[in-house]
Amino acid sequence: MEESFPDLSLRSIDCTEMSWIESILYFSPVLEKLWNWCLEEEKPILIMEPYGGRMEEISEAETPFPYREGILYNIQYFVKWEDGDIMPSQRHVNWIRSIYQNMTPYVSKNPRVAYVNYRDLDLGKNDEAAKWGHKYFKNNFERLQIVKGMVDPCNFFAYEQSIPLPPLNLSEGKREVQ
């Protein structure tokens, strides 16, 4: 084992010893790009949360949080600024939107998903629930609408991206809750 890994057809000379962070940069060139993009901003914040492990053992449909199998990590990027003037604010907003665009080739696709606790109004607001609902909840979105209809039928807990009530069945005059 110290000389070779026969099951993998590897020899020790085929391997390179490196630190954890070196391996991340080695296997994920996008992280180096992301780091360089962060250097363009004054106060960028980048948080990487590893997924996998036991999370993959739980079905996507078992909880509202669907990001399980095949998701390596969650990347959260945002920027802080304290100047209330509109011009600097727009510059920071433009920067974060450029990061979002730059990351497109490297993140989940069909749909590009998002984590609901990192609310992003660029994904849409309540009038576009079908657009953002599947990005946050994947196939759990319709089920969450049914739960919303049962526990909050008056839509008391409403905000820009709250789960909307299920559609109204006009022929019966009630919500489609099963």
Side-chain angles (χ1 to χ4, degrees):
M1 184 79 162
E2 294 189 21
E3 298 288 323
S4 69
F5 300 95
D7 292 343
L8 301 175
S9 300
L10 289 176
R11 300 167 301 173
S12 60
I13 60 170
D14 296 321
C15 301
T16 303
E17 186 174 339
M18 60 182 71
S19 69
W20 175 82
I21 196 65
E22 288 171 326
S23 72
I24 294 298
L25 293 174
Y26 179 82
F27 289 110
S28 299
V30 67
L31 295 179
E32 191 170 356
K33 289 180 182 180
L34 182 57
W35 179 256
N36 288 330
W37 294 327
C38 285
L39 294 176
E40 297 171 3
E41 181 56 52
E42 296 164 22
K43 293 182 180 178
I45 298 172
L46 176 65
I47 300 172
M48 295 184 65
E49 301 165 325
Y51 285 5
R54 296 204 36 103
M55 285 182 68
E56 290 189 358
E57 297 174 10
I58 301 168
S59 162
E60 284 187 358
E62 206 166 317
T63 70
F65 181 82
Y67 312 111
R68 304 290 177 178
E69 188 174 352
I71 304 291
L72 301 177
Y73 47 86
N74 181 40
I75 301 175
Q76 181 183 177
Y77 29 82
F78 58 100
V79 62
K80 290 178 66 173
W81 68 92
E82 296 173 15
D83 187 337
D85 189 34
I86 193 70
M87 292 309 288
S89 295
Q90 192 59 50
R91 180 172 51 84
H92 298 297
V93 169
N94 289 343
W95 176 82
I96 200 69
R97 286 185 173 144
S98 75
I99 291 290
Y100 185 86
Q101 288 302 321
N102 290 341
M103 291 299 291
T104 298
Y106 310 107
V107 297
S108 59
K109 296 169 183 59
N110 302 320
R112 180 173 184 168
V113 297
Y115 178 45
V116 68
N117 284 354
Y118 306 152
R119 207 163 53 139
D120 181 354
L121 296 181
D122 282 348
L123 298 178
K125 296 182 181 173
N126 275 348
D127 59 336
E128 306 167 289
K131 179 180 169 186
W132 57 261
H134 289 283
K135 291 182 179 189
Y136 286 137
F137 303 109
K138 293 173 99 176
N139 293 328
N140 297 332
F141 184 63
E142 288 81 12
R143 237 180 33 205
L144 290 169
Q145 282 186 283
I146 292 169
V147 171
K148 171 80 173 198
M150 292 186 299
V151 300
D152 187 16
C154 297
N155 204 23
F156 178 79
F157 297 102
Y159 59 92
E160 296 97 337
Q161 287 183 333
S162 59
I163 302 289
L165 291 167
L168 182 62
N169 184 331
L170 296 176
S171 65
E172 296 180 25
K174 61 181 180 178
R175 300 272 175 207
E176 294 179 14
V177 177
Q178 295 146 356

